[in-house]
Amino acid sequence: MSLPSTRRMYRRISAEYPGCYLAFHSVRHAVVRDISLNGFRVEGQSTLPCDTIVKIQLCLPNGEGTVDIDKAVVRWRTEREFGVQIVSISNEADLRLARHVEHRLQQTAFDLAC
C-alpha cells in the first residue's frame, strides 16, 4: 500500500541567500534555500531538533533588504540542514517576501519562454 501524495501549498524558488537564525539564545549564520511563503530550507554548521522555535533573518539580494521571520518551527532535519515552517511574520515582512518570490517566479517563467 502506498502512502498518499501531498502537494505543497506554495511554490518554492531555488536560492542561496545569506541569513542567520536565533535559537537557544545563540545567533548562528546560515544559508537559506528553497524559499516559499510558508517556509524554507536552512543550512548551518549545526542542525536543530524538530519542533524547535527559531527567529530567522533572510538577506534578499540586490539591495532588497532583509526579511525577519518572528517565529518559525523546525519541521525536519538532516546533519547540516533543517526545514522551517513560518508561524509568525509581520505584514511588512510577509509582503516583502511575497513580492520577492513573485518576481523570481515571473523571472524564471520569462527565462524559460525565451
Side-chain angles (χ1 to χ4, degrees), residues 24-101:
F24 308 120
H25 306 290
S26 175
V27 176
R28 299 174 184 166
H29 293 281
V31 175
V32 180
R33 296 188 167 101
D34 297 337
I35 298 168
S36 81
L37 300 181
N38 190 48
F40 12 82
R41 175 186 304 256
V42 179
E43 180 183 344
Q45 291 184 349
S46 62
T47 189
L48 297 172
C50 289
D51 299 323
T52 300
I53 303 296
V54 295
K55 289 185 176 189
I56 298 175
Q57 184 176 68
L58 165 65
C59 300
L60 298 176
N62 304 320
E64 292 180 58
T66 60
V67 174
D68 295 323
I69 309 302
D70 301 320
K71 186 177 181 182
V73 62
V74 176
R75 293 296 183 201
W76 59 265
R77 61 180 249 178
T78 64
E79 186 176 322
R80 295 202 44 172
E81 292 183 315
F82 56 93
V84 296
Q85 179 182 10
I86 297 170
V87 176
S88 177
I89 185 172
S90 72
N91 289 338
E92 180 184 340
D94 191 35
L95 180 60
R96 188 176 308 116
L97 181 61
R99 284 182 176 161
H100 179 75
V101 169

